[in-house]
């Protein structure tokens, strides 16, 4: 069965510092992998996605993620965090049929001045 | 133009009542979903429809009944509301590759 683990419930980073949010997945084949961001009171917005090919993918707002098959990981990174990045971040995996997406429990990012 | 819109944004109601949430998408997607987000932000898939046909039903109590009159609409009706139904309900639609487009959510509070 598919599953997604985000080991960090919350992370605090200073503005301007680098960020890495961890995600591990369990899936029988190569899944479609996603990161979404949710600002307070809003729906989720797609940051980036991985289907195949280059294992380093670029997304919106300066985010990138790297797919590592050997570690079953898809960690999200940003070189310099801005205060507006404070939000909830969700890693997700979709079966290759594209019909069922499972989300991790989310990581809440706090940004301090 | 809002891609996925759901109404109402807020519902406050008493236990035992019945309520409905409506969702519409103008993206031309064939597949739509209902997700439930609990107080700990955990997102759980409830239902999925593909071209008006139910394809996913994740052991949701039968008090919850989705209806899709056409592929652009997916409504959720909840009978006999319970305290544990309090949550934010998100509608979403998807491309063939699983990228989800979410509505802004409907916060349901059951008193």
């Amino acid at each position: 069965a598919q599953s997604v683990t985000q080991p960090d419930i919350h992370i605090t980073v200073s503005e301007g510092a680098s960020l890495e949010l961890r995600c591990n997945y369990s899936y029988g084949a190569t899944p479609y992998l996603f990161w979404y961001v949710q600002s307070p009171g809003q729906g989720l917005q797609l940051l980036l996605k991985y289907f195949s090919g280059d294992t380093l993918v670029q997304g919106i707002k300066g985010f990138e993620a790297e797919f590592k098959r050997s570690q079953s990981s898809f960690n999200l990174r940003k070189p310099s965090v801005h205060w507006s990045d404070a939000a909830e971040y969700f890693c997700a995996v979709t079966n290759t049929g594209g019909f069922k997406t499972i989300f991790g429990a989310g990581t809440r990012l706090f940004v301090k001045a | 133009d809002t891609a996925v819109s759901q109404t109402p944004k807020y519902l406050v109601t008493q236990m035992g009542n019945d309520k409905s949430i409506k969702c519409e998408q103008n993206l031309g997607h064939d597949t739509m979903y209902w997700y439930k987000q609990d107080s700990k932000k955990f997102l759980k898939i409830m239902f999925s429809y593909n071209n008006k046909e139910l394809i996913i039903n994740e052991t949701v109590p039968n008090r919850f009944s989705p209806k899709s009159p056409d592929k652009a609409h997916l409504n959720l009706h909840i009978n006999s509301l319970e305290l544990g139904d309090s949550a934010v309900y998100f509608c979403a639609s998807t491309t063939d590759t699983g990228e989800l487009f979410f509505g802004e959510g409907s916060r349901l509070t059951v008193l």
Side-chain angles (χ1 to χ4, degrees), chain B residues 15 36-39 63-64 80-89 108-111:
Chain B
M15 276 197 310
K36 179 181 180 181
Q37 186 173 48
D38 63 23
S39 58
R63 298 182 295 104
F64 291 78
S80 304
L81 279 156
E82 300 176 358
L83 292 176
D85 298 331
S86 295
V88 182
Y89 292 85
L108 171 65
T109 302
V110 182
L111 304 174

Side-chain angles (χ1 to χ4, degrees), chain A residues 40-110:
Chain A
Q42 302 292 315
L44 282 72
Q45 179 187 19
L46 181 72
L47 281 177
L48 46 76
K49 58 194 175 188
Y50 173 78
F51 298 147
S52 64
D54 192 347
T55 56
L56 185 63
V57 292
Q58 303 295 323
I60 63 171
K61 305 185 182 186
F63 285 92
E64 66 178 27
E66 186 171 12
F67 171 61
K68 292 186 178 179
R69 183 190 303 275
S70 62
Q71 298 175 21
S72 296
S73 69
F74 188 58
N75 295 348
L76 181 71
R77 301 195 293 249
K78 186 169 185 177
S80 177
V81 167
H82 187 263
W83 64 266
S84 60
D85 293 324
E88 191 89 25
Y89 290 81
F90 293 92
C91 182
V93 59
T94 298
N95 60 355
T96 48
F99 287 142
K100 186 171 179 180
T101 296
I102 303 298
F103 286 84
T107 298
R108 181 67 191 268
L109 173 66
F110 296 94

Side-chain angles (χ1 to χ4, degrees), chain A residues 32 34 36 38 40-46 49 51 88 90 94-106 108, chain B residues 9 31 33 35 37 40-43 45 48 50 55-56 58 90 94-105 107:
Chain A
Y32 296 161
F34 304 84
Y36 291 85
Q38 184 181 26
Q42 302 292 315
L44 282 72
Q45 179 187 19
L46 181 72
K49 58 194 175 188
F51 298 147
E88 191 89 25
F90 293 92
T94 298
N95 60 355
T96 48
F99 287 142
K100 186 171 179 180
T101 296
I102 303 298
F103 286 84
R108 181 67 191 268
Chain B
K9 192 164 183 175
T31 306
Y33 301 82
Y35 278 86
Q37 186 173 48
K40 295 184 178 179
K41 301 291 186 184
F42 186 70
L43 271 161
I45 190 170
S48 176
N50 180 264
I55 55 171
I56 295 174
E58 287 287 306
F90 285 101
T94 189
T95 64
D96 290 343
T97 47
E99 177 182 342
L100 288 163
F101 292 78
F102 284 87
E104 291 194 342
R107 180 177 294 275

Side-chain angles (χ1 to χ4, degrees), chain A residues 15-42:
Chain A
E15 191 168 18
S18 64
L19 169 71
E20 183 169 29
L21 301 182
R22 296 182 291 165
C23 173
N24 292 95
Y25 68 91
S26 173
Y27 185 64
T30 300
Y32 296 161
L33 294 161
F34 304 84
W35 275 98
Y36 291 85
V37 60
Q38 184 181 26
S39 298
Q42 302 292 315

